[in-house]
Amino acid sequence: MNRKRVVIAGLGDAGVLAAIRLSGYADVVGISVKPALVSGQELGVRLARPDDWARDYWIPFDRFRRLDRVRTVHARLTGLDLAARTVLGERADGAAVAEEYDALIISTGVSNGFWRRPTLQSAGEVGAELRAAHDRLAAAGSVIVVGGGAAAVSSALNMATTWPRKRIDLYFPGRSALQGHHPRIWRRLHGRLTGLGVGVHPGHRAVLPDGFAGEEITGDPVRWSTGQPPARADAVLWAIGRVRPNTEWLPPELLDERGFVRVTPQLRVPGHPGVFAVGDVAATDPLRSSARNRGDALVARNVRAELGGGRLGAYRAPTRRWGSLVGAQPDGLEVFLPSGHSFRFPSWSVERVVMPWIVRWGMYRGVRENDPLG
């Protein structure tokens, strides 16, 4: 009996986990613009402590034991032929890619700042970009962070922890930050920020220069449409949440009015059997929460059910965002629940239990040791 072929378009966090779950069931082909899992998570740790971030969030594909049976293709996606059931792409040398599928999982994610872009990069280019952002912020005597989401709050907190003598200010448009989270979470993190000396400035809506999407660290004064005088710092980090789905390669009929992939509760693209979407690119709910709530497990299970004639399960989205928000800190890892309450893993357990056992073995089913920076 011929094994089915599953193509996974995009090997970010959700795509890698789906590939791991399907690797023993089908012939899996993953297409990625990076030669590794380069996670979009934990921006604050990435900027302030790049070695720590790279250890846990930049993982070459050949280190994942369960990806040994997955063929990875390093290419950018250029099109999808629905009639021929073929994904099209282009390698760095210009060679064309055409991968046929029995089932397709679209998990190309979103662009959001310089740390999340669908650019075709080598390992050296990933490392250079990582170092350049860190070095720019490390050299600055003062930093402005613009934005009120988790990326902005995490960046301000992690930089203040790593560089306690640096002047850091966080500006955001609302009365409080973290609007998608329980208010209790912002109250707690607000206290931590002010305790670290971070200036917290609500009610500031930035004026963006024409054509600027926040994809670089700048040094010009930040002007406000809300009437306050311009703010100045040596470096300005824009974490303004201008999310754009990486769907330019897809037929428009698959997309909603904002460019995200339309899906049913089963994460299946309506009208196209065998085509699924998961993660930030999938229009599951206003928070597009299948990226963080075991959507990878559901899409893998539903692909198997579709190909094998089984019953598909439905995705149920949470009403609030949740998670660690600021990443591991010197005193451990605090995880916030949708209710706003939290629990903490002490630092020793993060190093000895959470990362090696819960993440590398539990989530990823085994990761070989290696340091991409070494």
Side-chain angles (χ1 to χ4, degrees):
M1 179 178 176
N2 292 331
R3 282 164 62 89
K4 299 293 187 178
R5 172 179 285 194
V6 178
V7 172
I8 300 178
L11 290 177
D13 295 296
V16 163
L17 288 168
I20 285 171
R21 293 180 178 277
L22 288 166
S23 61
Y25 168 76
D27 291 330
V28 179
V29 179
I31 305 174
S32 173
V33 292
K34 315 297 183 189
L37 169 62
V38 182
S39 177
Q41 298 184 60
E42 307 295 4
L43 175 63
V45 177
R46 172 177 173 145
L47 296 173
R49 307 194 314 273
D51 292 323
D52 291 346
W53 181 87
R55 181 189 62 237
D56 297 327
Y57 296 101
W58 175 14
I59 307 174
F61 296 134
D62 61 9
R63 287 182 55 201
F64 292 96
R65 297 180 184 275
R66 288 291 291 271
L67 293 188
D68 288 349
R69 291 176 286 185
V70 172
R71 180 164 60 86
T72 58
V73 178
H74 188 203
R76 69 180 187 90
L77 295 157
T78 59
L80 171 61
D81 187 333
L82 289 163
R85 301 179 73 84
T86 302
V87 177
L88 306 174
E90 184 180 68
R91 298 181 188 271
D93 62 3
V97 170
E99 296 289 346
E100 297 180 356
Y101 63 83
D102 293 297
L104 168 65
I105 298 175
I106 300 166
S107 55
T108 44
V110 296
S111 295
N112 182 18
F114 61 85
W115 62 96
R116 296 179 78 182
R117 292 183 292 184
T119 50
L120 189 63
Q121 290 181 305
S122 66
E125 289 168 333
V126 172
E129 186 174 74
L130 179 66
R131 286 297 185 191
H134 169 77
D135 291 347
R136 172 73 189 277
L137 294 169
S142 57
V143 178
I144 286 173
V145 181
V146 183
V153 172
S154 173
S155 297
L157 190 146
N158 276 281
M159 286 191 287
T161 301
T162 299
W163 300 303
R165 297 184 180 180
K166 197 184 299 292
R167 194 191 88 215
I168 298 171
D169 290 277
L170 174 65
Y171 293 85
F172 49 89
R175 295 176 59 185
S176 62
L178 301 177
Q179 291 290 322
H181 298 76
H182 194 284
R184 187 179 288 115
I185 299 175
W186 170 238
R187 289 196 294 270
R188 179 169 179 80
L189 290 180
H190 180 275
R192 292 179 64 180
L193 289 165
T194 55
L196 289 166
V198 174
V200 178
H201 308 275
H204 286 68
R205 184 173 295 279
V207 176
L208 301 183
D210 291 341
F212 180 67
E215 292 192 346
E216 61 184 86
I217 299 171
T218 61
D220 295 331
V222 182
R223 304 184 184 281
W224 314 103
S225 64
T226 39
Q228 299 90 348
R232 293 172 172 81
D234 296 331
V236 180
L237 173 65
W238 299 83
I240 52 178
R242 285 210 160 183
V243 171
R244 301 182 309 282
N246 298 325
T247 54
E248 296 87 352
W249 61 284
L250 289 170
E253 65 192 84
L254 271 57
L255 310 178
D256 68 8
E257 65 280 359
R258 297 181 58 205
F260 294 91
V261 181
R262 294 183 294 112
V263 291
T264 67
Q266 291 73 32
L267 303 182
R268 185 165 52 182
V269 176
H272 298 282
V275 181
F276 295 78
V278 69
D280 286 316
V281 77
T284 51
D285 60 284
L287 300 179
R288 300 182 313 281
S289 59
S290 70
R292 292 162 291 277
N293 294 280
R294 300 184 65 79
D296 58 279
L298 178 65
V299 78
R301 187 163 64 248
N302 283 353
V303 164
R304 294 184 63 167
E306 173 122 331
L307 295 178
R311 182 178 179 180
L312 279 65
Y315 178 71
R316 294 175 176 83
T319 57
R320 294 187 184 272
R321 296 186 187 276
W322 64 282
S324 71
L325 292 182
V326 299
Q329 300 297 308
D331 60 351
L333 176 67
E334 187 172 22
V335 178
F336 294 94
L337 302 174
S339 66
H341 297 93
S342 67
F343 60 92
R344 180 182 298 278
F345 294 98
S347 57
W348 67 264
S349 70
V350 176
E351 297 173 3
R352 301 178 193 175
V353 179
V354 176
M355 296 311 300
W357 294 107
I358 297 177
V359 175
R360 296 190 188 114
W361 278 107
M363 287 178 55
Y364 293 135
R365 314 291 176 88
V367 178
R368 299 179 181 93
E369 291 301 320
N370 190 23
D371 183 353
L373 294 182

